Amino acid sequence: MSIVIQSVTKLYGEQKALDNVSFDVKTGEIVAFLGPNGAGKSTMMKIITGFIPASSGSVFVNGIDASTENPEIKKCIGYLPENNPLYPEMYVREYLGFVASIYKSGNSVKKQIDEIIKVTGLTPEQKKKIGSLSKGFRQRVGLAQALIHNPSVLILDEPTAGLDPNQIVEIRNLIRDAGRDKTVLLSTHIMQEVEAICDRIIIIDKGVIVADEKKSNIYSIIKRQKQIIHVEFDKYTDKSGLLGILNVAKVQQINNTVWLVEAEGQEDIRPAIFTFAVNNNLKVLSLQKEESNLEEVFRHLTKG
Ligand code: ADP
Ligand code: MG
């Protein structure tokens, strides 16, 4: 187990930012840490990385208690904080040298810097001031500083926030490559990112964990509750007819010929819709189950 979080509560004055949070991250897992703004994601990440203490509970990273000042813990964690604070007046290479020297000294440092500049695609920008870089390249510098000491655990707080779609894909690929042999906890609001790179999804809302599932299971949270069929006929039909189909609970018209039909219970209602069409002289142009997506799961668990 790379990260173990046991009953962590965090109070900011009167406010409870984390309320008895517990979860583990297995070695090698890539876990998405999702939640609306203010849910407590950054707070949890700051506690894991030892930047702030928990009010109660405990956190272990690679078996080391995160609340102690043990420098070993900083060595095994790479952390990209929210908003990626950097020194705009420093040059890229100079900054990475500065970060590397915190962890190590000697000849191997130069090699480490060369390597990380290459891995993160910073070669053309390495002599520029950080302040002059585009947001995408600044994010690469942030990732480079998180990766430079080859940590086994990566904590990335919204690494693609504010990037354009091309930059998002580039950074995502970098994270995926870097994450191959690491344990990764990643917060994001981009659901495609989660679909593309994560194995498991933890959702937090108002300081409380509301879901912790393998990616393949998370959709069942909603599927268990309703079955929605998207159907298109060749011509208009009357709503009341559709409502008369056995087990149909609700019907919503999308346009003249397209409907969303919601069933009660788990029995597949597609055969009944088909029979309805035949009996009413309609042709079925398409008939498919609506797959619930991650966005829907997220909204379902965190609204209100
Ligand atoms: P997230 O990263 O999910 O958006 P945060 O962990 O940043 O959430 O914040 C959780 C809650 O704690 C929010 O209500 C936020 O306003 C509050 N909070 C965060 N940091 C502090 C702080 N230093 N002092 C007081 N309240 C804070
Ligand atoms: Mg945050």
Side-chain angles (χ1 to χ4, degrees):
M1 217 51 92
S2 286
I3 307 175
V4 177
I5 293 160
Q6 293 170 334
S7 309
V8 166
T9 292
K10 176 70 183 177
L11 295 162
Y12 291 116
E14 295 280 286
Q15 192 196 347
K16 220 181 234 185
L18 295 173
D19 187 359
N20 201 20
V21 169
S22 300
F23 62 87
D24 298 336
V25 182
K26 291 198 199 74
T27 305
E29 260 187 325
I30 302 191
V31 175
F33 194 40
L34 310 181
N37 288 330
K41 304 179 295 294
S42 297
T43 299
M44 190 68 251
M45 289 176 151
K46 284 177 202 161
I47 293 172
I48 296 171
T49 51
F51 274 77
I52 59 170
S55 305
S56 63
S58 46
V59 172
F60 296 90
V61 179
N62 291 346
I64 308 168
D65 188 338
S67 67
T68 62
E69 293 286 311
N70 191 338
E72 288 304 312
I73 202 161
K74 294 267 194 289
K75 280 192 197 159
C76 66
I77 299 178
Y79 176 38
L80 177 60
E82 193 172 29
N83 306 322
N84 185 17
L86 295 167
Y87 299 99
E89 286 305 314
M90 281 181 102
Y91 295 91
V92 171
R93 202 182 165 86
E94 176 194 21
Y95 170 68
L96 293 175
F98 163 70
V99 176
S101 68
I102 296 173
Y103 298 103
K104 243 193 203 167
S105 57
N107 291 338
S108 62
V109 169
K110 183 179 176 301
K111 216 174 123 228
Q112 233 173 351
I113 301 169
D114 287 340
E115 169 79 22
I116 205 68
I117 284 179
K118 206 168 115 211
V119 168
T120 52
L122 282 166
T123 309
E125 314 289 312
Q126 59 178 310
K127 300 209 167 89
K128 290 190 184 166
K129 273 194 179 175
I130 291 172
S132 73
L133 299 181
S134 70
K135 175 112 192 177
F137 274 104
R138 250 179 281 165
Q139 223 44 16
R140 285 169 191 256
V141 176
L143 270 175
Q145 68 74 28
L147 290 167
I148 197 157
H149 54 301
N150 196 22
S152 61
V153 174
L154 268 183
I155 309 287
L156 307 174
D157 198 353
E158 299 196 28
T160 54
L163 300 183
D164 73 35
N166 295 332
Q167 294 168 330
I168 286 177
V169 172
E170 286 162 16
I171 295 291
R172 182 189 301 164
N173 289 340
L174 260 177
I175 294 169
R176 187 164 36 194
D177 291 344
R180 273 189 226 289
D181 59 348
K182 297 188 193 304
T183 304
V184 183
L185 184 68
L186 163 94
S187 73
T188 178
H189 289 298
I190 300 169
M191 299 300 163
Q192 299 102 295
E193 200 155 290
V194 178
E195 307 264 10
I197 58 181
C198 299
D199 312 316
R200 198 173 123 208
I201 296 164
I202 297 175
I203 303 180
I204 184 169
D205 187 33
K206 301 186 190 80
V208 176
I209 304 287
V210 293
D212 180 351
E213 299 273 354
K214 277 195 182 151
K215 187 168 63 184
S216 52
N217 286 348
I218 194 115
Y219 308 105
S220 63
I221 292 178
I222 284 198
K223 267 193 203 142
R224 265 183 242 130
Q225 295 175 352
K226 57 181 178 181
Q227 179 196 160
I228 296 175
I229 308 294
H230 182 279
V231 56
E232 180 174 8
F233 300 114
D234 63 331
K235 54 181 186 277
Y236 176 78
T237 186
D238 197 60
K239 185 172 180 172
S240 59
L242 283 163
L243 277 170
I245 299 172
L246 188 67
N247 290 333
V248 166
K250 250 203 277 181
V251 171
Q252 188 193 342
Q253 187 166 15
I254 303 297
N255 63 37
N256 195 38
T257 55
V258 178
W259 300 81
L260 288 181
V261 181
E262 189 177 326
E264 51 196 12
Q266 283 309 300
E267 193 165 340
D268 192 347
I269 56 165
R270 285 175 298 180
I273 294 176
F274 197 79
T275 306
F276 164 83
V278 171
N279 291 344
N280 289 276
N281 211 11
L282 296 163
K283 289 195 178 75
V284 175
L285 301 182
S286 80
L287 182 67
Q288 57 211 160
K289 273 192 184 168
E290 287 270 290
E291 294 297 333
S292 48
N293 58 33
L294 187 54
E295 202 160 288
E296 217 184 319
V297 175
F298 180 89
R299 285 174 52 76
H300 175 74
L301 292 171
T302 63
K303 65 178 181 229

